[in-house]
Every structure is written in structure tokens, then in C-alpha cells.
Amino acid sequence: MARRRLAQVAPSAGCSTPGGLPEGRSTITVAVGSGQRGARIDVPAAATGTEPAPVLVSLHPFSVNGAGWEGYSRLAQDAVARGYVVITPNGSQPGPRWNVPGGVENGVDDIGYVAQLLDAAEDGACIDRNREFAAGFSAGAAMAQALSCTLPWRMSAVAASGGANLTDLCPASPATDVMVLHGTADPIAPVTGSNVPFATPNGLHIDDVVTTDAARAGCAPVPTTEALFADVVVDRYEGCADGARVEHWRLLGAGHTWAGTTAPLLEIITGPTNQSISANERVLDFFDG
């Protein structure tokens, strides 16, 4: 499992009063502001009993809703097969998109929305509150990184692919385990920072994000580097406080895509998809590790 919090918290309320959320796919709705917002939730059979299960928030990219993201990534499908409860929310409008620190402000509290969805999952299913995760791609990666900054006491680990550099740095935030994946030939969220108007902040280098996350975790400043494949190089930071983990997966020559997907986007626009690894498998391994 992921690095444990220094102070362990008890399993969720849904473990003592199981049955609130049914097995399989359903919808949860939470009150936000003066209205309501829903999200899809997938619950494996084990989470309807009294054995605590991990929970994953799966975060879509800009202009693709949660259903479209799942059709592209199959992340929820693979996570449920490992026993995860998976929440697949939809971002705010215009977009859908995610309102993150440093992004284009739309006045919507998307971070509060995700926190309320986690509360609802905890009430309706048996959740291990020490294993709450978020993973996303593009704008969803920015949201995952932002959750590590704004809810570090709640997020056991996050994984951000192709967009961790689309939200502000948070050097003063407590540590969260972080896995960053990024294509070195990404034309939408370049490693050196984005110039796309909706993808602020401009000019934020992906290396600055990773080194800031490593500093938050008290890691040694120079990582160890492993070439897993000719086109996949992993930087792992060591000596981190309290067993924290920070990893940077450099996808050499890859574009703005989710590694290993069998439903590629328009690669003439996004650039090529890395097929040496499955992002689903590696991200879930990181969370399970």
C-alpha cells in the first residue's frame, strides 16, 4: 500500500453501516454552493462489506467528460479489478475543466467538490481512509497535483500525467507521495511550460514541479535514475522523510497522451503514445506500493 500517514485514521463510517452504495456502477450527488453536482462511482463487491478498500479519484482532461476519459483510459475498470472504489467526477464549465491554483479562475470550488465526493464515498462504502488517491491526465493531472497541495492530509498519493505543470507550485505544503509522468515531446503541456491560453500557468517547467514535490517530502535533491526501456526513464528521489516517495517518469519522445492506451487520441495533434508501459498498471502499482 502507499506510504502510511504518521497518524493513522480509522476506516470510514461505511464500514460500520455497510450497504449505502451498491456494488457496481452508480451515481453519487453532493451539495455544492446553491446547487448539486454528481459523479460516477464504481464499487467492487468487497467495498460493500466491512473490509476497508482504497478509493481513487479519476480525473479527466480538459473538454473530455468523465465517461469519455474512462473510455480512453480504462483506469476505473483496471482499478476496480484491484479492489478500488473509483470516483469519476466531471469538472466545471466552461470545459469541462478543473479550477486549480494558478489556472484560469471560474469561481467554482472543484477541490471542495472532490472532497465532498470522498466524504460521500466514505459514508456509503467501506473505505480505508489511509489509502485515498487521485490520478489524472492533462488538466486532470493539474487537478491531481493541486489536490496533493491543498489536501495533503487526505491524499495518500497522487499520479499526474501530462499536466502536473499546469498548476501552481506549493513549496510550503506538507508532503504527499507523488508520481509524475510526462512526455518529453508533449506539444500541449510542454516540459518547459505551456503557452496555451487555457493551460496556465505559462512557463512552469515540469522539473520544477518534481523538485518542489521532492523538497516538500524532505528527499535528497539528486534522484537515482533508471532506464526501464529505451523510451522510459524514471527518476526516484531517496532519503525522503517518513518513507515518502516522489517519482518522475520521463516518456522519451511521447506526446500529450496516456501511456499504453489502446484508444489513442488524434496523434497528429497530441504526438505519439508511449506503448512501452501501461500508465494504468504503473500508477496503480505506485499506489499499491
Side-chain angles (χ1 to χ4, degrees), residues 111-214:
I111 289 170
Y113 161 58
V114 169
Q116 289 186 72
L117 290 173
L118 286 168
D119 290 342
E122 289 179 0
D123 289 342
C126 187
I127 300 298
D128 183 345
R129 295 165 62 218
N130 301 290
R131 293 189 292 164
E132 298 193 344
F133 308 100
F137 167 60
S138 189
M143 184 61 168
Q145 172 69 23
L147 289 169
S148 86
C149 293
T150 57
L151 300 177
W153 58 89
R154 188 160 205 172
M155 293 288 102
S156 299
V158 303
S161 177
N165 58 341
L166 302 181
T167 185
D168 283 345
L169 301 176
C170 56
S173 178
T176 296
D177 288 1
V178 177
M179 178 184 189
V180 170
L181 306 94
H182 210 102
T184 61
D186 189 327
I188 307 298
V191 295
T192 54
S194 176
N195 291 314
V196 179
F198 63 79
T200 53
N202 292 344
L204 189 60
H205 201 295
I206 194 67
D207 288 349
D208 292 338
V209 178
V210 177
T211 56
T212 300
D213 286 338

